[in-house]
Amino acid sequence: MKPLVPSLAALLLSAGLALPAAAQTITIGLSLPENIEGFDFVNGMYRTFAEEVEANSDMSVNIVYGGALGNPNDRLAQMRRGVIEMTDAADGNYASIFSDIMVLNMPYLFPSEQVAWQVFDGPFGTQMAEDIREATGIRVLGWWESGGFKHFSASRLIESPADMEGLKMRVLGPLATIPVEAMGASASPVAFGELYTALSTGVVDGQDNSVSTFNLIRLYEVQSHLMMTGHVYAFGPLGISDAFFSGLSPENQQVILDAAAVAIAYNRETSRAVEASAITRAEEAGVTVVRMTDAQRDAFRQVMQPAAIEWLQGNVDHPDLIDAALAAVAAAQ
């Protein structure tokens, strides 16, 4: 007769004891190289998250840098399928799977970063996070700042919407294109990797990005003026696969939530400091940085916002969110 040697698993099960759970690994796919200068508000945020998770649980975190897991939309799809658990896809990427998020890209919706944080952390942002979870299977743990506000740069001084007349501006997507064209400029969808060359050769005259991005690709070499128009606030949802999160123990779910709160706080503080130093760097490189008055920004708002709202009304699933977002901002102020 063959000797019957029961396995450890069988012994545990026969005794009514549960098997020890395998440690969970969270894989995070990021766009930027690990040690890129001036973008710690993104990479550092995820490192902070990882440190908090690993220090307070048996979970491990694997961060994959440099777009090695695909482009942002690819990684967003992977997170939805459960191939990876998290990624740094930002607002524009989420718009491809959840159109309502675009109401938060309305020009001049937010008067300051602090008001934006109050809206994101308040009832409006909490409800949108839940709507995203139900529609996409992605749980939004918080809302991070992607360098702050976007500003126009150009090969000449711009002080009013009329100064945009005739300029060729690189902007992406209809919600950026329509307000620019409302000011008399023409919009060109130049790929990010081709932007420096397009500006240096005159294919386009200007563009809009955060100051951190402006410096990242050395646009100070090919743009003479940076106008601090602050027309759109750049952000990203700190998303995690809801299927993965829901499968965790209550204790580990709380660890994830706590780590996200610490990471978001790190992101916002770091982003504000990085922008301040980025403005100084651009000035030191010879760029004329134009600080807009409230009256000047309001002149841009009066042209850009109505054009954007008209487009949003026909292109988001719930147009009533436009007025709800404006009301949330008014309440936060």
Side-chain angles (χ1 to χ4, degrees), residues 95-301:
S96 67
I97 60 172
F98 186 79
S99 66
D100 286 345
I101 200 172
M102 291 189 291
V103 301
L104 295 168
N105 298 130
M106 197 188 314
Y108 293 100
L109 174 62
F110 300 113
S112 69
E113 296 86 2
Q114 291 73 24
V115 169
W117 301 343
Q118 290 185 59
V119 172
F120 281 116
D121 298 344
F124 185 92
T126 300
Q127 184 59 55
M128 181 160 285
E130 177 58 18
D131 293 343
I132 290 173
R133 187 190 68 80
E134 292 179 354
T136 70
I138 295 171
R139 178 178 291 266
V140 176
L141 301 170
W143 304 88
W144 51 275
E145 180 173 296
S146 184
F149 284 100
K150 294 183 179 181
H151 309 281
F152 288 121
S153 71
S155 53
R156 72 184 193 205
L157 175 65
I158 297 172
E159 294 183 297
S160 70
D163 294 332
M164 295 282 284
E165 181 75 34
L167 287 178
K168 296 170 291 184
M169 301 295 292
R170 181 268 186 183
V171 290
L172 294 179
L175 193 51
T177 297
I178 290 168
V180 163
E181 291 180 342
M183 294 185 288
S186 59
S188 300
V190 176
F192 184 71
E194 301 169 4
L195 180 54
Y196 181 97
T197 301
L199 289 166
S200 65
T201 58
V203 172
V204 289
D205 302 305
Q207 58 88 53
D208 75 334
N209 265 305
S210 70
V211 188
S212 300
T213 303
F214 181 86
N215 287 337
L216 173 67
I217 54 173
R218 307 190 316 279
L219 296 188
Y220 48 75
E221 296 177 352
V222 292
Q223 295 278 263
S224 59
H225 289 76
L226 175 60
M227 279 60 63
M228 304 298 289
T229 48
H231 49 282
V232 173
Y233 181 75
F235 67 93
L238 184 62
I240 189 170
S241 163
D242 189 51
F244 172 81
F245 181 89
S246 298
L248 297 174
S249 67
E251 294 78 14
N252 278 350
Q253 288 182 355
Q254 192 60 52
V255 167
I256 294 289
L257 295 172
D258 292 343
V262 174
I264 291 291
Y266 175 90
N267 158 261
R268 292 174 178 176
E269 180 180 357
T270 304
S271 180
R272 294 294 82 239
V274 166
E275 185 185 63
S277 62
I279 292 170
T280 299
R281 180 179 175 185
E283 288 179 315
E284 291 174 345
V287 176
T288 299
V289 176
V290 182
R291 289 163 174 83
M292 296 282 173
T293 65
D294 290 344
Q296 286 176 308
R297 280 191 294 271
D298 191 57
F300 281 96
R301 181 193 62 78

